[in-house]
Each structure stands twice: as C-alpha cells, then as structure tokens.
Amino acid sequence: MPVQPKPLLKNPFFYWGGFFLIGLFLGLYYLVDRVMMPNITRQNETISVPDVRGMPLPDALTEIEAASLVLGDTTSRIGLKNQQGLIATQNPRPNSSVKLGRRVYLSVYRGSEPDVRIPDVTEQSLRNARLSLSATGLVVRRIEPDTIPSPVPQMVTRIYPPAGTLVPRGDSVIVYYGLGLMSSRLVAVPNVIGLDYMTADSILRFHSFWPTLLDQNSADHNPKILRQSPMYGESLPAGSTLRLFATADSLEIDP
C-alpha cells in the first residue's frame, strides 16, 4: 500500500521554511534601514551651520559647500561702500544644528544709499530739529548745550558736521543748543553797514548776536547791508537778535 504524503499544514518543513523566510526578510530590512541607508544618506547626522556673515559671497559659498550644505536664494540689502558684496545676514543662524543638505539663505550687501545733505536746523527748537534730521535719514548722536547764547532757550545754535555737508544716509550728527539770553553780559553792537550779508553774519555771530536778514531781494543771496537795527554802538545782552536790511526801502526810518 503506497505511503500517503503528509498534509502541507502538518509538514514541519513548511513551518521552518516560513520562519526562515520571515527572518531573512526582517534581517534584510534591518540591514538596509539601519546600516546601508544611513551610510548612503547620512540622514540622521546633524552639523553646525558655519558663520559666513561679513564674508564675500564666493568665500561664503565655499564654507557652505564644505559643510555639506546647499546655497539657497540670496537677497540684496543696502549697505555702506566698504560692505558691498559681503554677507549681511544668513538663515539658518550661525552655529545652529541642521541636517546635511539643508539650504542656507543669504542676504548680501549690494548697492548703497545716496548721500544726503545736512539740513540747516539752526534757530529751530530741539524737537523740530530732531524731526528734520530724522526725515533726512540722519541720526542725532548727541545734544549738547552751546557756549554761544541764543535769543530763545533750547534753540539750536549750530550742528556738526555743518549744514550743507554731504554725508552718507544714516550718518550721525551733533546738535548744539543755546540756553537763552545772557542778561548779565552786555555786548556792544558792531557796525556791519556796507558789508555783504555773509561777512556781516560771521561778525555778528562772533560777537554773540543772532542776525536776521529782512527786506531781501530774492535774486541776491549775499546782498549788501544798507541798515541795521539796533544801530551800532548800543549795548545788548549776548544772544540778542539783530535785524539787517538790504533793499532801498530799508533806508527809511522805522516808524
């Protein structure tokens, strides 16, 4: 009588073969997932982002590639003349931990602000002078009392650098202000009749007076002074205002 084969489910080779195949599959999966893939992709490895701020763009690119990172988009930023082509900011930040292949986005100084002319803020209040300078793109570095007296307390007497100077936008200035009239100090008014306005202005300011030009012909920016008030020889407190006249009508006597 022929021997009947055992049913498949009762065959021990079926179970051992199944276990072997499952074990082989799990072993291969572990080998690929835990050993081979990390060595290929290095996906679990992190590195510190190099600090490329202040570097020229080509040098920054070299540093980024050496760290196994990728250069992302770059943007432009206004900077000073000596900053052109250098890295202003970066993202991710320097020394932060990132995975290999992360993109690094850079901001590069390209282009500069045009120079601005310092406005004349003399005889303005400190508040108005600040607003004028800020609107021009300048920064007030210091505000200091001046040795030069002024007709009104807290009035701007001068600025450094002087008004009219061309400086880079964002530059800083020093503002000086007067403390008001010095009643205890009387100064004799000098004679400036017949002088041009700029010369008269310099002489009067040197003697601690504040000249104001009136009746000026708009076509002449440096007219000859025909009359002054108060007249020369009078004694006034230092810081007093002195009016200057420069047209034919100025020869008329004040009512």
Side-chain angles (χ1 to χ4, degrees):
M1 182 175 183
V3 178
Q4 296 292 329
K6 293 183 178 180
L8 182 61
L9 294 177
K10 294 182 179 181
N11 192 331
F13 293 103
F14 174 79
Y15 291 104
W16 288 111
F19 288 138
F20 175 77
L21 292 175
I22 293 174
L24 180 63
F25 174 78
L26 293 176
L28 290 174
Y29 177 82
Y30 180 86
L31 180 66
V32 172
D33 183 64
R34 300 290 181 172
V35 179
M36 296 178 63
M37 291 304 295
N39 288 334
I40 296 174
T41 64
R42 300 168 66 187
Q43 60 183 2
N44 294 325
E45 184 176 348
T46 61
I47 59 169
S48 180
V49 178
D51 187 355
V52 297
R53 294 171 300 178
M55 291 185 180
L57 182 57
D59 293 349
L61 178 58
T62 300
E63 289 288 329
I64 291 171
E65 292 178 343
S68 299
L69 300 173
V70 178
L71 177 63
D73 296 334
T74 62
T75 57
S76 299
R77 174 173 292 196
I78 297 297
L80 301 177
K81 292 180 180 179
N82 60 351
Q83 293 177 315
Q84 300 307 301
L86 303 182
I87 306 302
T89 60
Q90 65 179 84
N91 183 32
R93 292 176 297 178
N95 304 318
S96 56
S97 295
V98 298
K99 292 184 178 181
L100 296 176
R102 172 71 182 271
R103 291 184 180 275
V104 180
Y105 300 90
L106 303 177
S107 176
V108 185
Y109 288 117
R110 296 191 182 102
S112 58
E113 292 278 11
D115 290 342
V116 296
R117 194 175 300 277
I118 297 178
D120 186 2
V121 294
T122 56
E123 301 188 31
Q124 294 185 17
S125 66
L126 287 175
R127 180 178 180 277
N128 289 342
R130 274 183 175 274
L131 292 175
S132 298
L133 294 168
S134 177
T136 309
L138 299 172
V139 177
V140 178
R141 186 172 69 214
R142 292 201 313 271
I143 297 179
E144 297 185 359
D146 201 347
T147 54
I148 302 174
S150 60
V152 181
Q154 305 293 307
M155 185 187 83
V156 176
T157 54
R158 57 192 173 102
I159 187 173
Y160 182 83
T165 305
L166 281 174
V167 296
R169 183 181 295 274
D171 212 355
S172 60
V173 297
I174 303 175
V175 176
Y176 296 88
Y177 65 94
L179 302 176
L181 292 175
M182 298 179 61
S183 301
S184 60
R185 179 185 162 200
L186 297 179
V187 183
V189 177
N191 183 11
V192 294
I193 295 176
L195 302 178
D196 62 81
Y197 170 69
M198 292 184 180
T199 303
D201 182 88
S202 299
I203 293 174
L204 292 172
R205 290 183 186 274
F206 177 78
H207 287 84
S208 299
F209 290 110
W210 283 94
T212 300
L213 181 60
L214 304 174
D215 296 343
Q216 178 189 7
N217 186 335
S218 59
D220 190 355
H221 298 289
N222 189 28
K224 181 179 293 187
I225 304 304
L226 302 179
R227 186 166 62 88
Q228 66 182 70
S229 179
M231 290 296 293
Y232 57 90
E234 295 188 33
S235 293
L236 300 175
S240 297
T241 300
L242 199 143
R243 295 175 295 169
L244 303 177
F245 302 88
T247 65
D249 295 340
S250 303
L251 296 178
E252 299 178 2
I253 304 299
D254 289 338

